[in-house]
């Protein structure tokens, strides 16, 4: 039951995270990258701090330097670098295409687990990685002679892929941190406090380059739609999504989280069509299909051991 709850939390987390591409589209080009991130993080903290209260103080007191280091790395990869690459990439590519490209996260996470954690790779997992890579190449137009994609468009897609890589690094770091924190924090686990700390660290990082974007002048020129997008980015994409994420990752492994991270491209593709009215050509749909197939292959690889375990248990019960 606890694992099922963890999976539900992960579905909610990545579904909310998938709306980041859409909400960012409303402010990209009107505000600087770090201004967008800083303002959204401010809204997130305004929402989070009253919810934490004394629990946040207690969590900070029990937190070791190692816990703080892991949370700082998560803030760097999962918020600062992820949004820097994603928002920069949206200058040159469509929201729908960016959403599809975030589907590379499961494959990149699998590669990190294989290279960094030295986990074994099965044929199904390898096929999933290859499908994802092939899908990305098709979306990029590399396999189509005479394609009309400009270098700027390809560069934008590469920036989105860098964002996906940062998300994968964040996934891996969060799982390692969840295991370490169980011992260091004497069993205390508070997803809201974790989210508040990570958001505060990321906000501090953003405040360093943000002044160079003339934020006060730019913020004074935006309207209600842009402010609503920033509020959504802060409360839903950051606060609620990260609360669900930390609630889920302590119950599930990194590969399970990687499988459910495919909810990001699903949500982005759907909303880019419905909300932004964007359309994709056959090449993008084919590439997106391969990315989704890769996600499914990696995801089913995660579920296979559990299915085998259930079959063994049923067989034992019948033999009794």
């Amino acid at each position: 039951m606890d694992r099922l709850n963890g999976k539900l939390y992960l579905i909610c987390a990545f579904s909310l995270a998938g709306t980041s591409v859409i909400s960012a589209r409303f402010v990209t080009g009107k505000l600087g990258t770090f201004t967008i991130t800083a303002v959204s993080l401010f809204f997130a903290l305004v929402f989070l701090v009253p919810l934490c209260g004394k629990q946040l103080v207690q969590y900070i007191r029990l937190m070791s330097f190692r816990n703080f280091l892991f949370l700082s790395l998560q803030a760097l990869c999962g918020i600062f670098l992820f949004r820097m690459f994603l928002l920069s990439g949206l200058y040159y590519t469509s929201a729908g295409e960016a959403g599809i490209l975030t589907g590379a996260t499961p494959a990149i996470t699998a590669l990190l687990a294989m290279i960094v954690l030295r986990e074994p790779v099965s044929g199904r997992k390898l096929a999933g990685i290859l499908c994802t890579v092939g899908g990305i190449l098709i979306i990029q137009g590399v396999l189509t002679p005479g394609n009309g994609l400009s270098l700027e468009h390809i560069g934008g897609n590469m920036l989105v892929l860098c964002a996906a890589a940062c998300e994968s690094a964040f996934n891996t770091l969060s799982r390692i941190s969840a295991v370490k924190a169980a011992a260091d924090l004497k069993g205390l686990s508070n997803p809201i406090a974790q989210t508040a700390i990570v958001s505060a660290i990321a906000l501090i990082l953003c405040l360093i380059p943000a002044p160079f974007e003339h934020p006060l002048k730019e913020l004074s020129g935006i309207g209600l739609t842009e402010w609503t997008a920033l509020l959504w980015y802060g409360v839903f994409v950051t606060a609620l999504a990260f609360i669900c994420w930390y609630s889920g990752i302590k119950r599930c492994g990194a590969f399970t989280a990687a499988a459910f991270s495919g909810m990001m491209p699903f949500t982005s593709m759907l909303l880019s069509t419905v909300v932004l009215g964007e359309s994709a050509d056959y090449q993008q749909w084919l590439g997106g299909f391969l990315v989704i197939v890769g996600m499914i292959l990696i995801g089913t690889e995660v579920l296979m051991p559990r299915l085998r375990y259930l079959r063994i248990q049923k067989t034992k019960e019948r033999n009794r």
Side-chain angles (χ1 to χ4, degrees), residues 255-267:
F255 273 112
T256 304
F260 284 105
S261 66
M263 290 302 299
M264 284 181 66
F266 275 125
T267 305

Side-chain angles (χ1 to χ4, degrees), residues 237-248:
V237 177
T238 303
L240 294 178
F242 273 69
I243 290 172
C244 290
W245 164 256
Y246 284 119
S247 298

Side-chain angles (χ1 to χ4, degrees), residues 34 88 114 119 166 176 202-203 218 221-222 233-234 246 249 276 286 290 294 310:
F34 299 105
S88 299
M114 179 178 63
E119 293 187 7
C166 290
I176 296 172
L203 176 59
E218 291 185 342
I222 63 175
Y233 213 158
Y246 284 119
I249 196 61
L276 301 179
L286 178 59
L290 285 177
L310 292 174

Side-chain angles (χ1 to χ4, degrees), residues 269-286:
M269 287 173 63
L270 179 63
L271 291 179
S272 64
T273 302
V274 175
V275 178
L276 301 179
E278 293 184 353
S279 59
D281 59 23
Y282 77 93
Q283 182 172 285
Q284 290 173 318
W285 282 113
L286 178 59

Side-chain angles (χ1 to χ4, degrees), residues 214-222:
H214 308 290
L216 296 179
K217 180 181 178 181
E218 291 185 342
L219 288 170
S220 63
I222 63 175

Side-chain angles (χ1 to χ4, degrees), residues 41 65 70 80 83 106 108 145 151 163 229 231 244 265 276 284 318:
L41 288 171
F65 176 76
F70 271 111
F80 183 80
R83 295 188 182 181
I108 298 173
L151 288 176
L231 183 64
C244 290
L276 301 179
Q284 290 173 318
R318 288 174 184 173

